[in-house]
Amino acid sequence: MMTDELDRVLAAGYVEDVASLDDAELRARRAECQQVEAKLSYLRRLVQGRLDIVSAEIERRRRGVEADLSDLVARLPEILADRSRAPGPGRMPTNIQPPDDDSLTAELDAISGPSALGSLPELPDEQLTAAADQLMDLEQRVSGQRRAVFGVIDTIQAELADRFGPGHRG
């Protein structure tokens, strides 16, 4: 379960003893962190995509344009292509993989699962706005967790760099 893995790599003490770890354990921890980051990255992209869809529906209503589900589906390529790059320095994920079923994925589905996305044109404005707010909050939390995991990866990578010198990739 991703939440357990995330808690493990962000736990106090996970990187405090990196200098005392042997090379194999250090590399194993780095690989574990990279796997957690890949899952968070995938989840973050799902959240951002759903937020883009909800935001497009809010904008459509603001403009007073009539629409239905078929219109929303037809506009999905445009809506989802709008965000070519997230703000911030970013890091290219080494791989993207779906997260295991966990509380964050369940929260995302509770906010805007497939049935909710399919009924966006019928949702009252208040529910649509609430969904957008909840998605923004979830995206910020997942992004914060991802940054924290990058901090752990950086600590481990720095230890590997110290051990093997400049130019060596550990």
Side-chain angles (χ1 to χ4, degrees):
M1 177 176 268
M2 185 177 74
T3 306
D4 294 339
E5 295 167 334
L6 179 62
D7 290 344
R8 176 176 151 74
V9 301
L10 295 181
Y14 190 77
V15 291
E16 288 175 2
D17 63 345
V18 292
S20 66
L21 299 175
D22 65 35
D23 296 345
E25 176 61 23
L26 201 53
R27 286 185 179 108
R29 287 191 185 189
R30 178 180 60 186
E32 180 180 27
C33 290
Q34 289 169 332
Q35 185 176 43
V36 169
E37 186 282 323
K39 291 175 182 180
L40 285 170
S41 181
Y42 184 88
L43 178 61
R44 190 174 127 252
R45 289 173 190 265
L46 287 176
V47 174
Q48 288 172 335
R50 292 184 191 182
L51 178 58
D52 288 347
I53 293 167
V54 170
S55 296
E57 177 61 16
I58 290 170
E59 177 60 23
R60 180 200 62 78
R61 290 181 187 189
R62 188 190 64 73
R63 290 190 330 257
V65 176
E66 289 294 321
D68 58 16
L69 183 57
S70 62
D71 177 64
L72 180 63
V73 171
R75 292 182 39 234
L76 283 177
E78 169 193 337
I79 292 167
L80 296 175
D82 187 40
R83 182 192 305 261
S84 60
R85 185 182 173 299
R91 295 188 190 205
M92 184 61 108
T94 55
N95 66 9
I96 301 281
Q97 65 187 74
D100 304 327
D101 289 335
D102 69 283
S103 62
L104 292 172
T105 304
E107 184 177 353
L108 174 60
D109 285 342
I111 296 168
S112 64
S115 62
L117 290 175
S119 63
L120 281 181
E122 292 85 37
L123 283 180
D125 291 346
E126 306 80 41
Q127 284 183 330
L128 200 59
T129 302
D133 291 344
Q134 291 171 331
L135 286 167
M136 283 188 270
D137 178 61
L138 181 57
E139 194 279 333
Q140 289 174 354
R141 283 188 285 132
V142 171
S143 291
Q145 291 167 333
R146 189 168 171 248
R147 282 189 300 275
V149 171
F150 276 131
V152 174
I153 292 170
D154 289 346
T155 299
I156 293 170
Q157 193 62 33
E159 176 61 27
L160 286 167
D162 286 348
R163 289 182 187 189
F164 297 107
H168 194 282
R169 301 205 35 107

